[in-house]
Amino acid sequence: MTFPYQEEYLLAMELVKEAANIFIPAFNSPKNIKSKSSPTDLVTETDQAIEELIKTRIKARYPDHVFIGEETVSDGGKCNYGNGPTWIIDPVDGTTNFVHRFPHTCIVIGFTVNRVPQFGVIYNPILNQLYTGREGYGAQLNGSPIRVSGEAQLSSALITTGMSLRRDMEALSTRCGDITGILGEPGSCHGIRMIGSSALAICTVAEGCADAYFECGMHLWDMAAAHVILTEAGGCVVSPVQGESFDLLKRRIIAAASPELALALQKKIKYIDYPSD
């Protein structure tokens, strides 16, 4: 059986490699940096140039498809997430890392139909890491299959997270409280890591070198592509809120190597309520 969106998938693979020709020279060059929603929410000319490249190429091939890009939405565009074929793009995930030449940063392309992620392509051209996943066809890193660790015990897990763009005391105390709760009690995990890119952090879970990721405040372009890569690698995605179904628009996630580990994190962490995308 042929993957039904193979043509779109192959285009996404072409586009991330083409975008790398913009990304790599800019990574090592002085940057024109601006802020968006806050002084820590950064954007560069590279974000904008890569998004425009990808959008132009997609619209030329698929004029009826919906396009959702971080920079387009941040600049006042609408987040028209519906049932039709939808491309969800983050031209530079981990922009702060990109600005500082910290090499965990990437180009992200996700594709959904009927609000179900069908494939994800995430490319870190600095470290030459190409993560891919197609619904029903598994997940790969540079063409080789990847699989989650399957870890079920929080006490044996390595956890990844991030600091949201909010720097108010509620957000900071909530996240610091989560970390204290996970690290400072009996049965605490092996450790916590922050790499500064939601998409790549979820991919570390997908390839089995971390066991779970939790965060609030990211957007659907940070999660859509990584969602299918993780689930195709055998992982699970849930809301941090017990009893709530995961929703890409609600800006919160636990991505875990097993349902048991996801539940253990749900019991430990608090969530910050952000406006939906």
Side-chain angles (χ1 to χ4, degrees):
M1 184 176 68
T2 303
F3 180 57
Y5 305 105
Q6 185 70 6
E7 182 181 273
E8 291 90 338
Y9 171 72
L10 291 176
L11 176 60
M13 296 279 278
E14 291 175 14
L15 289 175
V16 295
K17 292 298 182 72
E18 188 173 344
N21 293 327
I22 300 172
F23 192 109
I24 294 171
F27 181 81
N28 293 304
S29 301
K31 301 168 183 69
N32 182 13
I33 306 163
K34 299 178 182 178
S35 60
K36 295 185 289 186
S37 63
S38 72
T40 57
D41 187 9
L42 305 181
V43 63
T44 71
E45 292 174 338
T46 306
D47 298 72
Q48 297 163 336
I50 290 176
E51 182 161 316
E52 185 59 30
L53 166 70
I54 293 173
K55 180 179 181 180
T56 299
R57 290 283 306 280
I58 289 171
K59 285 297 185 182
R61 181 85 66 91
Y62 304 106
D64 296 330
H65 287 192
V66 174
F67 180 91
I68 298 173
E70 177 177 9
E71 305 315 324
T72 303
V73 174
S74 297
D75 201 34
K78 292 184 178 179
C79 186
N80 294 319
Y81 185 51
N83 291 326
T86 303
W87 299 77
I88 304 174
I89 313 300
D90 192 343
V92 180
D93 187 44
T95 298
T96 301
N97 288 354
F98 179 83
V99 165
H100 291 274
R101 294 188 296 112
F102 189 69
H104 300 286
T105 177
C106 60
I107 304 157
V108 180
I109 300 180
F111 182 78
T112 68
V113 178
N114 294 321
R115 294 193 172 210
V116 176
Q118 298 296 323
F119 69 75
V121 176
I122 296 174
Y123 185 41
N124 177 348
I126 306 305
L127 300 180
N128 191 33
Q129 297 170 320
L130 177 62
Y131 295 94
T132 57
R134 293 174 294 165
E135 179 69 20
Y137 286 80
Q140 295 81 34
L141 169 58
N142 294 338
S144 296
I146 54 175
R147 195 76 184 166
V148 297
S149 67
E151 182 58 60
Q153 300 298 319
L154 182 60
S155 60
S156 302
L158 181 66
I159 308 298
T160 62
T161 188
M163 294 298 292
S164 74
L165 295 173
R166 283 177 52 181
R167 293 294 189 267
D168 58 273
M169 287 308 300
E170 178 192 10
L172 290 172
S173 62
T174 298
R175 182 44 40 84
C176 291
D178 289 340
I179 292 171
T180 300
I182 294 169
L183 288 177
E185 297 178 2
S188 64
C189 67
H190 281 176
I192 293 180
R193 302 290 182 266
M194 297 185 188
I195 64 172
S197 161
S198 295
L200 288 176
I202 296 170
C203 286
T204 65
V205 181
E207 67 174 305
C209 56
D211 302 301
Y213 169 76
F214 71 93
E215 177 64 299
C216 297
M218 76 290 283
H219 296 274
L220 77 164
W221 46 79
D222 298 311
M223 299 183 284
H227 179 289
V228 68
I229 292 170
L230 176 68
T231 55
E232 285 298 308
C236 66
V237 175
V238 303
S239 168
V241 183
Q242 292 187 58
E244 176 185 85
S245 298
F246 175 76
D247 186 336
L248 279 173
L249 295 176
K250 287 192 174 180
R251 302 180 63 190
R252 49 186 179 240
I253 190 171
I254 294 174
S258 68
E260 296 85 355
L261 184 56
L263 179 60
L265 280 172
Q266 278 183 327
K267 293 177 178 179
K268 289 281 189 180
I269 67 174
K270 297 180 180 179
Y271 71 93
I272 304 169
D273 212 7
Y274 286 82
S276 296
D277 279 328

